[in-house]
Amino acid sequence: MIKSLLLVSTSSNRTPREPLKVPVTRLPGKFFFPSSCCFAMTCVASTVLVNHLNSVSSEYKEHDEEQLDESNSDLKNVPMLTPEQERKLWRKVDLRLIPILTLMYLLAFLDRSNIGNAKLEGLVTQLDLTGNKFNIALLMFHIPYCLCEFPANLVLKVFRPSRWLPGISFVWGIVMILMSLVKTYPQLVGARVCLGIAEAGLFPGVVYYLTLWYPRHMLQYRIGLFFGGAAVAGAFSGLLAFAIGHMSGIAGLEGWSWIFLLEGLATIVVATIAFFVVLDFPATAKFLTLEERAFVIWKKKYDNSSVGEEEGFAARHVWAAFGDWQVRYRLLRASSCFLPQQNDQVWLQILVYMSITGPSSGISLFLPTIIQTFGYSTPITQLLTIPPYVAAAMTLFVFAHYSDKLKMRSPFIFAGLVMCLIGFSINISTAPDGVKYFGIFFIVMGSYAAIPAAVSWLGNNLSGHYKRGAGMALHIGIGNFTGAISSVIYRSQDSPRFILGHGVELMFVGIGLIVLPIVVFLYKRINAQRDTVERLAMERGEKVQYSDEELRELGDRAPDFRYTL
């Protein structure tokens, strides 16, 4: 077996030193979440996890054991694939995973942002959303959305992706239908809160789910395909709003009600299909042969470590995402000559992500409002929101392709930030409306194209299934609080220049342009230090000082791990 692994291995300079084990969802019945965790929702998630795990049926346990025995027998003979055969295998996986996930996220993004189109179709007038009421309704989506993302990722592997992801999609589809029936402002706010809770598990859950299937330098393109649904949703949102707006008055419903109702029904239909289409994990993927499963598991398991990743659950993995995260103290301590050696909670990767999601959230919610200030009618405004999103989708796919090809993330995040800087600078100025519309293209293209790079960057640099899941949920959850800020900075009294809104977005972009080079410098420094230690050890003929178990436990802090730039 070891000989065959050496022939296949392309991602590690060291030989795996023990038989591969198929990852099976196994969580202990008792565990502890530290009281210093910043989210109260984490405690709720821990209670749910414990109760669920204690009630796991014997049938489910037997199913796991059967899958383990079945796949382990084949992992002893991992197939040797040519580059062309490997490409065909990954295309087979792509076609099975990506389309349904993209469609689900397209509808998720459509359902959360279509309120901007509904605003132009009578929502504000009928519900008497005077003053900042509309902005508060937007805000009340983002607060529960951000708070629930972290615990939602913890329960993903417990309830299984094939049940969890379609289940929450079905729930928010029902919420959208109910939102079409609201008659008062408090009812709208309540519906937006429920929508935020229901949608919270999808984006971080799918991103984490994809990291369990794909090697880290194949990840951004897949996240790009999936997140491309957001850009397509932006284009569809304007097109659908234009068409649905003509249904105003049918069955006594305004145009905005029909927008919520029809798009909610579409979500329920897709969620129902997803129950039969979404898969769980490579070890249980029936559409793959046993040999193909073995290769996918092996490729991912030894992608960033010579001894494989830590796969079991322990409370320390969750705590590691808070207290020993690479964007926090350990990263600072490794570069103490550059930054103060303090146990402060400077989460640099979160700041990078916030610098992108701020502009993305703001423009997705208020693009119809901004374009309408150029003097266009409501139907023309809805149609003019389409071209920027089409351009964004194209840019996103180009960024994702070359990012994986070059195995680098930061240059593409930087390019997206520069595009946002140009776009917001144009729109905050007194330039003609045509030039401002041109600037909107830069904003939408830059913000949407950079998000997959920012998300996959952290996914590449966290090792260990549960540490990665908790870390990415924290990263996305806290980073998405910029959506709450973006919800209230584009005020009606600031029309048409929206100096406050564009100014705050420029602040986010500036933070990203400052923090991004610091993160790259620190990663380079740590990689160089590990290269030096490894070279000196080879020159001295020293043997490895860590056992396989210790290296797996160290994860991204292991001496053979290198951070992606």
Side-chain angles (χ1 to χ4, degrees):
M1 173 196 163
I2 299 297
K3 183 178 179 181
S4 65
L5 291 180
L6 283 170
L7 290 172
V8 182
S9 177
T10 58
S11 61
S12 174
N13 295 326
R14 300 181 63 230
T15 305
R17 290 172 290 183
E18 68 175 30
L20 292 168
K21 296 181 177 65
V22 179
V24 178
T25 305
R26 278 288 187 272
L27 306 183
K30 297 179 180 179
F31 53 91
F32 166 70
F33 282 89
S35 60
S36 59
C37 293
C38 63
F39 289 118
M41 290 301 295
T42 305
C43 299
V44 177
S46 66
T47 303
V48 172
L49 281 168
V50 171
N51 292 337
H52 180 79
L53 289 170
N54 288 335
S55 62
V56 172
S57 66
S58 60
E59 178 183 351
Y60 188 70
K61 292 180 180 178
E62 290 172 2
H63 175 266
D64 278 351
E65 291 168 0
E66 180 183 347
Q67 291 294 340
L68 177 61
D69 294 339
E70 180 184 12
S71 300
N72 258 346
S73 62
D74 191 70
L75 278 174
K76 297 176 182 178
N77 297 288
V78 177
M80 296 170 54
L81 301 183
T82 65
E84 180 59 29
Q85 289 174 326
E86 187 174 350
R87 281 194 293 271
K88 288 183 178 179
L89 173 58
W90 290 118
R91 280 198 296 270
K92 184 177 180 181
V93 174
D94 290 341
L95 291 174
R96 192 66 171 80
L97 299 184
I98 302 300
I100 187 64
L101 297 176
T102 301
L103 186 57
M104 290 168 68
Y105 190 64
L106 184 153
L107 290 168
F109 202 87
L110 195 66
D111 290 342
R112 84 179 61 162
S113 60
N114 58 13
I115 191 171
N117 301 98
K119 179 183 179 182
L120 304 183
E121 298 292 343
L123 175 68
V124 173
T125 304
Q126 187 169 1
L127 298 188
D128 191 28
L129 301 183
T130 56
N132 292 326
K133 288 183 178 180
F134 179 77
N135 300 85
I136 294 173
L138 299 181
L139 173 66
M140 295 310 295
F141 166 87
H142 288 281
I143 294 177
Y145 180 79
C146 297
L147 291 176
C148 292
E149 281 182 308
F150 180 81
N153 247 27
L154 292 182
V155 302
L156 174 68
K157 288 189 73 173
V158 179
F159 293 108
R160 300 163 54 194
S162 62
R163 296 295 174 263
W164 176 253
L165 298 176
I168 60 177
S169 299
F170 193 88
V171 170
W172 88 64
I174 294 175
V175 172
M176 285 302 302
I177 292 176
L178 295 176
M179 194 183 301
S180 70
L181 304 176
V182 300
K183 302 299 182 182
T184 64
Y185 167 65
Q187 291 175 356
L188 176 65
V189 171
R192 292 288 293 181
V193 170
C194 293
L195 184 65
I197 294 172
E199 284 199 19
L202 185 71
F203 182 62
V206 171
V207 171
Y208 172 49
Y209 172 68
L210 292 177
T211 68
L212 301 176
W213 279 83
Y214 293 99
R216 60 178 180 163
H217 292 131
M218 296 176 63
L219 185 61
Q220 184 177 334
Y221 183 68
R222 275 71 188 184
I223 293 179
L225 291 174
F226 155 69
F227 188 76
V232 175
F236 267 115
S237 184
L239 185 61
L240 289 175
F242 172 77
I244 297 173
H246 291 88
M247 297 178 63
S248 181
I250 297 178
L253 296 177
E254 294 285 339
W256 64 267
S257 291
W258 280 111
I259 291 174
F260 292 156
L261 177 61
L262 294 180
E263 293 177 5
L265 288 171
T267 300
I268 289 178
V269 171
V270 171
T272 303
I273 297 172
F275 273 110
F276 303 97
V277 177
V278 174
L279 302 171
D280 287 321
F281 308 106
T284 57
K286 296 295 186 181
F287 78 102
L288 297 175
T289 65
L290 290 176
E291 292 78 11
E292 289 171 335
R293 288 187 226 172
F295 184 84
V296 171
I297 294 168
W298 171 82
K299 187 75 172 179
K300 180 66 190 83
K301 184 179 180 74
Y302 293 98
D303 172 46
N304 55 16
S305 172
S306 59
V307 296
E309 284 193 302
E310 179 71 25
E311 297 167 2
F313 180 85
R316 63 181 180 275
H317 300 146
V318 179
W319 179 241
F322 287 94
D324 194 23
W325 207 5
Q326 57 194 267
V327 292
R328 191 183 156 178
Y329 171 57
R330 185 168 296 274
L331 193 61
L332 301 182
R333 188 177 70 177
S335 305
S336 55
C337 63
F338 181 75
L339 291 173
Q341 184 174 342
Q342 300 176 1
N343 194 13
D344 53 2
Q345 301 191 14
V346 183
W347 294 356
L348 300 180
Q349 279 273 18
I350 291 177
L351 292 178
V352 173
Y353 184 66
M354 292 176 73
S355 70
I356 296 294
T357 56
S360 173
S361 300
I363 202 66
S364 65
L365 291 172
F366 292 98
L367 181 58
T369 302
I370 294 171
I371 293 179
Q372 192 173 46
T373 63
F374 299 160
Y376 298 106
S377 64
T378 295
I380 298 301
T381 297
Q382 304 282 28
L383 292 176
L384 286 177
T385 63
I386 299 174
Y389 284 110
V390 174
M394 297 171 61
T395 307
L396 185 154
F397 295 140
V398 171
F399 275 29
H401 172 76
Y402 283 102
S403 178
D404 274 353
K405 186 175 182 179
L406 299 175
K407 299 181 179 180
M408 298 187 73
R409 310 300 185 210
S410 56
F412 299 92
I413 300 174
F414 181 80
L417 289 170
V418 171
M419 294 171 73
C420 289
L421 177 65
I422 294 172
F424 282 115
S425 298
I426 292 174
N427 273 269
I428 203 172
S429 70
T430 56
D433 292 338
V435 178
K436 288 187 175 183
Y437 184 65
F438 175 71
I440 285 174
F441 276 79
F442 279 95
I443 297 171
V444 180
M445 290 163 59
S447 60
Y448 277 75
I451 285 181
V455 172
S456 60
W457 198 18
L458 186 64
N460 291 165
N461 290 337
L462 287 175
S463 182
H465 285 192
Y466 280 94
K467 182 180 179 182
R468 187 187 305 116
M472 295 185 75
L474 265 179
H475 180 246
I476 295 171
I478 297 176
N480 279 337
F481 269 108
T482 55
I485 298 173
S486 298
S487 300
V488 297
I489 56 177
Y490 284 93
R491 305 175 304 179
S492 57
Q493 60 264 39
D494 297 328
S495 177
R497 288 184 63 186
F498 297 105
I499 294 178
L500 174 64
H502 294 326
V504 172
E505 302 292 22
L506 283 171
M507 177 197 72
F508 282 128
V509 173
I511 291 173
L513 291 173
I514 294 171
V515 175
L516 181 65
I518 296 175
V519 177
V520 173
F521 172 81
L522 296 178
Y523 280 154
K524 281 187 175 181
R525 183 180 179 86
I526 295 173
N527 286 348
Q529 289 174 343
R530 292 176 181 176
D531 288 340
T532 301
V533 170
E534 184 175 343
R535 178 176 52 81
L536 292 176
M538 292 180 62
E539 291 175 354
R540 296 170 184 168
E542 297 177 355
K543 295 183 179 180
V544 177
Q545 300 176 355
Y546 301 95
S547 67
D548 291 359
E549 184 62 31
E550 287 173 332
L551 289 174
R552 277 192 292 271
E553 187 69 24
L554 285 170
D556 49 81
R557 295 176 287 118
D560 63 344
F561 186 93
R562 297 296 182 271
Y563 292 113
T564 298
L565 303 178

